[in-house]
Amino acid sequence: MIASDTASASLPDPKQQPRAFLEHLYRVAVHQALPLARMGQYLPPPPRGRTLVLGAGKAGGSMVQALEALWPQDAPLSGLVVTRYGHIPPRPAGVPSRIELVEAAHPVPDAAGLRAAERMLALTHGLTADDLVLCLISGGGSALLTLPAEGLTLEDKQRINRQLLESGAHIGEMNCVRKHLSRIKGGRLAAACAPARVVTLTISDVPGDDPAVIASGPTVPDGSTCADALAILQRYGIELPARVMEGLRGGCLETPKPADAAFAGHAVHLIATPRQSLEAAALAARAAGIDAHVLGDDMEGESREVGKVHAALARAVARHGTPFARPCVILSGGETTVTVRQRPPGTAKGRGGRAGEFCMGLAGALMGEPGVWALAADTDGIDGVEDNAGAFVGPDTLARAAQRGLKLSDHLDRNDAYGFFDALGDLLVTGPTHTNVNDFRALLVMPD
């Protein structure tokens, strides 16, 4: 778990301890995205009626505890929030529990998420114009808040979700489909809260920080259409039950649109974003005397290919001092994708996520470039479905792999980043961080 005092920890020497230095930057980035320090400025005053709290996401536990600490103790507060299994942080001393927290599966939904979504919709019954609904939304909410459209079963949703994850579809495409195959996403939760006012507090894990994409936008209007969702499903060869396919073709599964009166008076506040975390890491690097450059917080694409592009940039810096002078740190974020390759019969299934796949592509393209170190990790502390946040790459990565009989191309062929970096002792393991602003990548380029 990421400690709350990480930002004030002593800085490791980047020359003597490059891995420790990169890990420090990661922890600073994660600390920046924790909700307690930034939630208070966005909270409205208590209403005349009651305050209902609903929400979903990997940061749900820490967001709930921050709200319980900040909300006036004499003001009523109740509700239900769902987070990923194992992602409820220890309760802070002196903060009473007022909001129910439950756990469910991610990235493939399960029955616990289904029950949570059903209960949330039930809690919206009877709300009045005097009531306030605070919605706590963070990345991962799409899988955690599952309520299949009429004609779909939970098993159908699990299959579709798994196929989308393995197809290489980007997050916007996946969430467009999820919205149209749900009874709670794509603005439907907010519509169910009418006539109460809805204030959404969200932590962004998506390129562009669009609230309609974060957790498939359960509380904001949706600009995509049934036709869009149908085209995506056809593009990736994902089948639906005939009744649901007809619902998409006929527009019966359409989501609430921006002009819908149900959203009048609602507010959405971004309390943490990928850019803020990358900028915090850049400041920490500069404090150590290392120049820092943020390439962007919205990078997408195939993870291994993005790794190759980063390697080309790092080589240019290391060999020619362009476009940046050494020493420097190159930072980037966003949400890359992994297309799961078909394995030859009898080949063991690989393990790993986006960060590890990026690191394999990076290591192969760097080819042992002297003076270049890197860390890629997911800011929620979980790369894919494994127990690591990410992995390290150094000038000696390929040489040490060869000594152990590891062939990088074999691990790439079966998407086995975990097996490759675990054998080298190069995994970063933090446990759940209780926040999520998606991919974090840092390349340290030092003089020879």
Side-chain angles (χ1 to χ4, degrees), residues 344-370:
T347 304
K349 183 179 180 180
R351 300 169 61 192
R354 298 190 308 265
E357 187 98 351
F358 168 91
C359 286
M360 287 198 294
L362 178 76
L366 281 174
M367 297 182 290
E369 184 68 39

Side-chain angles (χ1 to χ4, degrees), residues 172 175-177 179-180 221-229 254-258:
N175 284 357
C176 174
V177 171
K179 290 176 187 180
H180 288 88
D222 176 38
S224 69
T225 66
C226 283
D228 296 329
E254 200 52 89
T255 48
K257 302 307 174 192

Side-chain angles (χ1 to χ4, degrees), residues 244-331:
V244 180
M245 188 68 77
E246 288 306 312
L248 287 177
R249 288 184 179 134
C252 299
L253 298 179
E254 200 52 89
T255 48
K257 302 307 174 192
D260 196 310
F263 300 104
H266 291 197
V268 179
H269 302 292
L270 289 163
I271 67 171
T273 68
R275 186 79 192 191
Q276 291 168 351
S277 286
L278 292 173
E279 293 292 355
L283 286 175
R286 292 169 190 143
I290 303 293
D291 202 4
H293 307 277
V294 179
L295 298 182
D297 64 345
D298 55 357
M299 291 191 174
E300 299 180 86
E302 192 70 24
S303 294
R304 63 179 68 189
E305 301 303 322
V306 176
K308 293 176 184 177
V309 172
H310 280 64
L313 177 59
R315 284 201 313 270
V317 174
R319 297 177 184 180
H320 310 296
T322 59
F324 311 127
R326 298 171 298 170
C328 71
V329 168
I330 301 167
L331 298 163

Side-chain angles (χ1 to χ4, degrees), residues 187-214:
R188 292 185 175 95
L189 177 59
C193 293
R197 183 183 181 220
V198 176
V199 174
T200 301
L201 306 175
T202 186
I203 293 177
S204 172
D205 71 325
V206 300
D209 302 330
D210 183 355
V213 179
I214 303 166

